[in-house]
Amino acid sequence: MKTIKIQGHLIVLFISLSISSFGQTKTINQGVMTIIGTAGSVSAIENLNSGVLTNDGDLHVYNHYTNNGIVTFTNGLTTGLTRMKGLFGFQNIAGTNQMRWYNCEFDNSLTQPAFHLSNQISISGNANFLNGIVDDDNFGGLAIFENLATHINVDNNSHVDGFVRKIGNQDFIFPIGDSNFFRYAAISEPNTNTDVFSGKYFFENSNVFFPHANKQENISIIDDAEYWQIDKTSSSSDVFITLTWNPVTTPSSIFALPIDDIHIVRWDVSENKWIDEGGIADALTNEVTTVINPQTEYGIFTLARVKNILPCNGNAVIVHNYISPNNDTINDVLKITGIENCPNNNICIYNRWGVKVYETNSYDTNGNTFNGYSQGRTTVNSNEKLPFGTYFYIIEILNESNGDTNKLSGYIFIN
């Protein structure tokens, strides 16, 4: 096998560097290499401990790519593009030091999974999933999307099989899947650009590790074909979590009518049982969304159907989901019929970005009603009138008969 070593400082400037022998040559960088134009190698690339490879251009990688030194781009530039384009089969993305890419492209249709990720790749721009699954689950790597990073073209044939970490304060769809199925989870905007969440999808029965027999009384059926793991590494934010159902992977008993019975449930480690986290189901998008507060344990989530249990002495709770706070005494405040029968309650209202705008306990017991003004303990612009639009509510009601917390959720409209 031939070896091409790059020593000193090589600048690739608007030319095509093609180092090839159909896999029989190994390209080793032990110096400083800066790519400004176009470069490519059909041989395996290895960046040694002493190597610094800065890609501000267009790097085509047709074979394995290993980094034990520094792989990066110049801060402030958005031109760096790493294209993983296999010619000989799967491609290892390996090494001991994280690779720092701006834009990247995954395009290898020769085999699945096409990319064996045992290193960490940090993406700051956009990841284009054209062809090929990035497998970090079986190889111990990690795909990281930095603040403002995005992705496109994710589908069953091209996604991340394993964990994806998201850093930042943008809403994000995790490009995750398993067993050749893309099955995303999503979060709304966290508070700060240092918030960190991770997501992974499992196409397997959660009952093996998290017994479905251990559940709140109002949970009737738990999805026994799939689940997600969503971890909060660093955050103090209320965020919306969205899960999805798919007729191919999700049991039909879960997404049967009425869809209002579809909720998100979470495995509570301390209570050793599944907990109802509420949720609003959308039949057009096959999505279920709910709010997870920052004090909640994250971890294992899946879909379930819930029973309509009335913990308030058998009385129903009805939310009148329209308010028009104009002091005409008609719909000036949010009316919740039957809430007086449930004194142990907590209500939170969020805007569409997941920011809490109102919170109170024992609703409507001492004038504490929602009148369209921001009054939550952790809201921004407290005591300011909120703009018209759609808001999300979640009501937690203690079921004193068994100690469970029942959750009601839905939308209200402020006119």
Side-chain angles (χ1 to χ4, degrees):
M1 182 183 72
K2 297 179 181 179
T3 299
I4 295 177
K5 291 186 178 181
I6 299 172
Q7 297 174 303
H9 193 169
L10 173 66
I11 298 178
V12 183
L13 177 61
F14 297 109
I15 63 174
S16 177
L17 172 64
S18 182
I19 305 168
S20 63
S21 287
F22 296 96
Q24 299 303 309
T25 301
K26 191 172 185 179
T27 303
I28 295 177
N29 179 42
Q30 60 187 31
V32 178
M33 181 177 183
T34 301
I35 300 169
I36 299 176
T38 301
S41 175
V42 297
S43 60
I45 298 175
E46 183 175 352
N47 194 51
L48 298 183
N49 293 12
S50 59
V52 178
L53 196 164
T54 302
N55 180 20
D56 294 330
D58 188 353
L59 174 62
H60 295 240
V61 181
Y62 297 100
N63 209 312
H64 306 308
Y65 192 5
T66 301
N67 175 49
N68 295 310
I70 296 174
V71 168
T72 188
F73 60 91
T74 300
N75 290 334
L77 293 184
T78 61
T79 54
L81 171 59
T82 300
R83 303 179 194 256
M84 301 298 300
K85 301 172 71 71
L87 288 180
F88 311 105
F90 70 85
Q91 293 175 266
N92 289 326
I93 305 175
T96 58
N97 286 351
Q98 181 186 99
M99 297 185 184
R100 186 169 174 260
W101 297 347
Y102 191 76
N103 296 320
C104 63
E105 181 181 286
F106 299 103
D107 188 9
N108 184 343
S109 58
L110 297 178
T111 185
Q112 287 285 32
F115 308 100
H116 297 181
L117 178 59
S118 58
N119 199 344
Q120 294 187 0
I121 53 174
S122 165
I123 301 162
S124 294
N126 179 261
N128 190 355
F129 289 85
L130 292 174
N131 282 294
I133 292 171
V134 181
D135 186 349
D136 67 30
D137 187 30
N138 292 304
F139 298 95
L142 181 65
I144 303 169
F145 285 76
E146 303 289 348
N147 192 36
L148 302 178
T150 57
H151 58 76
I152 57 175
N153 294 324
V154 185
D155 59 17
N156 288 341
N157 295 316
S158 192
H159 55 263
V160 177
D161 185 344
F163 273 105
V164 169
R165 179 183 296 166
K166 176 64 178 114
I167 301 172
N169 58 354
Q170 285 73 45
D171 59 315
F172 188 69
I173 295 175
F174 289 92
I176 51 178
D178 190 13
S179 301
N180 298 317
F181 292 108
F182 166 49
R183 300 290 285 108
Y184 67 88
I187 58 172
S188 63
E189 299 175 356
N191 290 338
T192 72
N193 60 13
T194 58
D195 281 8
V196 182
F197 290 84
S198 299
K200 182 181 186 303
Y201 171 73
F202 297 80
F203 186 41
E204 56 189 79
N205 190 349
S206 59
N207 183 57
V208 176
F209 306 103
F210 313 101
H212 293 182
N214 300 356
K215 59 184 174 64
Q216 285 185 332
E217 181 183 348
N218 67 318
I219 299 173
S220 57
I221 303 173
I222 298 174
D223 188 337
D224 62 1
E226 60 195 348
Y227 64 96
W228 291 259
Q229 183 172 340
I230 302 174
D231 294 325
K232 178 184 67 174
T233 307
S234 175
S235 176
S236 58
S237 307
D238 295 291
V239 297
F240 290 137
I241 283 184
T242 297
L243 302 182
T244 58
W245 72 85
N246 183 323
V248 178
T249 64
T250 310
S252 58
S253 57
I254 295 296
F255 58 88
L257 297 176
I259 66 167
D260 289 344
D261 291 349
I262 309 174
H263 282 198
I264 292 174
V265 294
R266 174 182 58 84
W267 177 259
D268 191 288
V269 175
S270 59
E271 295 193 33
N272 195 42
K273 67 179 180 181
W274 290 95
I275 301 295
D276 175 24
E277 290 291 352
I280 297 296
D282 187 335
L284 296 178
T285 61
N286 291 2
E287 294 180 340
V288 187
T289 300
T290 195
V291 170
I292 307 296
N293 68 60
Q295 287 75 42
T296 299
E297 298 173 354
Y298 279 68
I300 304 302
F301 295 84
T302 193
L303 301 177
R305 294 189 70 85
V306 298
K307 297 177 286 187
N308 186 20
I309 292 179
L310 304 175
C312 310
N313 300 317
N315 297 289
V317 174
I318 301 172
V319 178
H320 302 260
N321 58 357
Y322 176 84
I323 68 172
S324 56
N326 56 7
N327 298 318
D328 65 354
T329 71
I330 301 173
N331 298 320
D332 281 337
V333 301
L334 177 64
K335 184 179 180 181
I336 306 177
T337 302
I339 196 69
E340 66 275 8
N341 300 308
C342 314
N344 292 315
N345 67 75
N346 171 272
I347 178 171
C348 292
I349 298 174
Y350 302 83
N351 66 16
R352 62 176 180 159
W353 296 284
V355 177
K356 187 187 298 180
V357 298
Y358 179 84
E359 180 179 14
T360 191
N361 295 315
S362 302
Y363 187 79
D364 200 13
T365 55
N366 56 1
N368 55 330
T369 55
F370 178 58
N371 61 359
Y373 284 76
S374 180
Q375 299 173 10
R377 293 193 299 267
T378 60
T379 62
V380 295
N381 301 325
S382 182
N383 296 317
E384 288 191 9
K385 192 173 184 178
L386 296 166
F388 73 89
T390 302
Y391 292 77
F392 180 91
Y393 70 82
I394 188 161
I395 304 173
E396 297 185 352
I397 299 172
L398 178 65
N399 188 339
E400 296 181 353
S401 66
N402 59 17
D404 287 346
T405 298
N406 296 91
K407 294 189 177 183
L408 307 175
S409 51
Y411 295 108
I412 60 174
F413 185 76
I414 299 177
N415 184 11

